[in-house]
Amino acid sequence: MDPELIDTFQDYLNQGLEIAQNWLLSPAAWSQFALLITAYILAMLINRTLSKRLRNLLDPAPDATSIIAQARRYLLIFLPLLLPLLAYGLTAVGEQVTRSLFGSGAVIAFGKRVFLFLAARALANRIIKEPFLRLLAKYVLVPIAALYALNVLDDATLFLEETVVGLGNIRFSAMALVRGIIAGSLLFWFGSWTNSQSAAYIEKQPMRPAIRQLSVKAAEFAIFGLAFLLLLNIMGISLSSLAIIGGAVGVGLGFGLQKIASNFISGVILLLEGQATVGDYVELDGGEAGTIIKMTARATILETYDGRWIVVPNEDFITTRVVNYSDSGSANRLEVPFSVSYDTDINKVPALIEAAVAKHPGVLDTPEPPDCELRGFGDSGIDFGVEFWVEGIDDGKNKYASDVLFLIWNALKDAGIEIPYPHRVVELKGQLPE
């Protein structure tokens, strides 16, 4: 262990023993101890009566949900602070009395600081419920209050101020580092809370999903960017000292991260234009096809019929041809081919099939009702095709083609129309062997 640190600790210990010895032998100190005990007992009596009245006054009805009722419940949380704060206030009055009578108030000032420490401890253990803030209060606020109670907070602060930490060309004190850790934790916690609140507010606004998602991301970047700048200012780091690092990062982005920057900008363009958004079924030139389930800053994630995910860089949506089958819910036309035998009266087929397909709940009447058309004369039968409009596509969830083929089969069977199968004529030349 560092000998200098041991000597410093020994000095503080000797000073403490000397102060304790002086207090034990001083009549003024004993009078201050008596005042401390009296102030604490009086604070307990006042707290017992006042807490009960405040609880009856502030406690709302169990079914009350108004803003005033919520505010009253919030104030009730701080009742555990009443006793140490009352003791602190009464002790402060006693300190003024002892300083006017004896010209000294070191003991009662120490007691006042102890009551403040008890208030910080109650705040950390009984009032703060949020896990992160509670952790911060236990391991930051309470130790600071303890150092203050022992009257060594100024010395500890001075020691940290004189300890210099270097990071390349940037130099700052250990106090700045501690201040940065504490302030950074609070800033980024508050940033996360603010980001969730702003996202919830933006989600309720009437706007296109793409613009809504872009607004959420922009608010997130703005909140955490501001938090980062405030943290640098609190730590005492000049922004000009980061110019070299910023230049190096810029060069890295320019040469090594071109694709990432391109995909990021392409993602912003996609969100602004709204030509493809979450929920759309798209197909790219490279053969990738699926439903967009997530759009990130770098890539777009597609989900195929079989549940697999395809990660497609945003740049591909800008530089290649993309077919959007959904296009914010527009209708799509599908076609199902079928055949009938040559013995069929083909004039009856179109009306029969159109009426059968129109019964499907997913088939639309607009922009056009089902349309059955003659396609040609095949080797084994007469080829038809029925066209129909639906909302969506013929995927694993909808199965329009399968349902329509069932309707066609049943309609043809009910009408006695034969569905052909391949026929082959075999011609044998010469006499068959015996």
Side-chain angles (χ1 to χ4, degrees):
M1 187 177 290
D2 189 0
E4 184 178 352
L5 185 62
I6 295 177
D7 293 340
T8 304
F9 178 76
Q10 187 68 35
D11 290 340
Y12 280 120
L13 182 60
N14 293 333
Q15 291 176 17
L17 291 174
E18 184 179 354
I19 292 172
Q21 185 178 2
N22 292 333
W23 285 359
L24 290 174
L25 299 177
S26 172
W30 281 103
S31 63
Q32 292 178 51
F33 277 121
L35 281 174
L36 280 176
I37 296 173
T38 303
Y40 186 72
I41 294 174
L42 185 58
M44 289 180 61
L45 295 175
I46 296 174
N47 176 68
R48 185 177 301 174
T49 304
L50 191 58
S51 293
K52 188 181 297 183
R53 292 185 178 181
L54 286 175
R55 193 174 297 277
N56 293 333
L57 178 66
L58 295 176
D59 195 9
D63 56 347
T65 57
S66 64
I67 297 178
I68 297 177
Q70 294 177 7
R72 290 165 63 183
R73 289 192 184 98
Y74 182 74
L75 290 175
L76 281 173
I77 299 174
F78 294 93
L79 279 182
L81 288 178
L82 187 59
L83 175 60
L85 291 181
L86 280 172
Y88 178 85
L90 292 173
T91 306
V93 175
E95 182 184 9
Q96 298 299 322
V97 174
T98 55
R99 288 190 183 277
S100 63
L101 294 178
F102 302 103
S104 174
V107 175
I108 202 166
F110 171 73
K112 186 176 67 172
R113 295 194 298 270
V114 169
F115 290 140
L116 198 61
F117 166 76
L118 294 177
R121 192 168 176 271
L123 183 68
N125 294 334
R126 302 178 60 185
I127 296 175
I128 299 177
K129 302 299 182 183
E130 207 281 329
F132 175 76
L133 292 181
R134 191 169 191 174
L135 183 70
L136 204 63
K138 280 186 175 182
Y139 295 102
V140 176
L141 179 63
V142 173
I144 290 176
L147 292 175
Y148 177 73
L150 297 173
N151 203 25
V152 294
L153 182 60
D154 292 338
D155 295 334
T157 303
L158 181 62
F159 173 76
L160 293 175
E161 288 285 359
E162 293 175 349
T163 304
V164 178
V165 179
L167 183 62
N169 294 328
I170 304 174
R171 300 180 65 81
F172 47 88
S173 65
M175 186 63 193
L177 181 61
V178 173
R179 197 162 49 229
I181 293 174
I182 298 173
S185 301
L186 288 172
L187 280 173
F188 283 95
W189 174 85
F190 183 71
S192 300
W193 180 82
T194 306
N195 182 54
S196 62
Q197 296 297 316
S198 63
Y201 175 77
I202 293 173
E203 289 292 339
K204 298 177 182 178
Q205 303 307 308
M207 59 179 71
R208 287 195 296 115
I211 299 298
R212 184 183 296 114
Q213 190 172 1
L214 181 61
S215 301
V216 170
K217 291 297 181 183
E220 182 178 358
F221 286 138
I223 290 170
F224 285 103
L226 180 61
F228 180 71
L229 293 177
L230 286 174
L231 178 60
L232 292 180
N233 190 26
I234 291 172
M235 292 181 65
I237 299 176
S238 175
L239 296 180
S240 60
S241 62
L242 299 177
I244 299 176
I245 299 177
V249 172
V251 172
L253 288 173
F255 289 97
L257 304 176
Q258 290 183 5
K259 284 292 183 182
I260 294 179
S262 175
N263 287 322
F264 176 77
I265 296 173
S266 298
V268 173
I269 294 173
L270 282 173
L271 291 174
L272 285 175
E273 292 183 348
Q275 295 179 354
T277 186
V278 175
D280 289 353
Y281 184 86
V282 297
E283 182 178 357
L284 281 73
D285 265 354
E288 301 90 350
T291 302
I292 299 176
I293 60 171
K294 188 176 182 181
M295 299 180 73
T296 66
R298 187 189 66 84
T300 299
I301 300 176
L302 310 181
E303 184 177 19
T304 61
Y305 294 152
D306 52 4
R308 298 181 181 181
W309 284 14
I310 304 175
V311 181
V312 182
N314 290 329
E315 185 182 9
D316 291 356
F317 281 84
I318 303 298
T319 58
T320 62
R321 185 177 64 92
V322 180
V323 180
N324 190 340
Y325 289 94
S326 299
D327 192 19
S328 299
S330 63
N332 293 291
R333 190 181 70 174
L334 305 178
E335 179 179 348
V336 172
F338 66 97
S339 299
V340 297
S341 69
Y342 276 98
D343 297 332
T344 305
D345 183 1
I346 61 175
N347 296 301
K348 298 179 181 179
V349 172
L352 178 68
I353 298 302
E354 289 169 3
V357 174
K359 296 178 182 179
H360 192 285
V363 175
L364 305 176
D365 292 331
T366 56
E368 294 178 358
D371 181 25
C372 183
E373 298 177 351
L374 179 64
R375 291 286 184 257
F377 302 100
D379 295 337
S380 303
I382 303 174
D383 298 329
F384 283 88
V386 58
E387 299 173 348
F388 54 95
W389 289 83
V390 294
E391 282 285 358
I393 53 175
D394 187 28
D395 58 10
K397 300 176 183 177
N398 297 318
K399 299 181 181 178
Y400 293 118
S402 175
D403 293 346
V404 168
L405 284 173
F406 270 106
L407 293 172
I408 292 173
W409 172 273
N410 293 328
L412 294 178
K413 283 296 183 181
D414 293 342
I417 298 175
E418 181 182 353
I419 297 176
Y421 54 88
H423 291 77
R424 294 292 183 267
V425 177
V426 180
E427 181 179 351
L428 299 176
K429 293 185 179 181
Q431 187 175 3
L432 293 175
E434 295 181 359

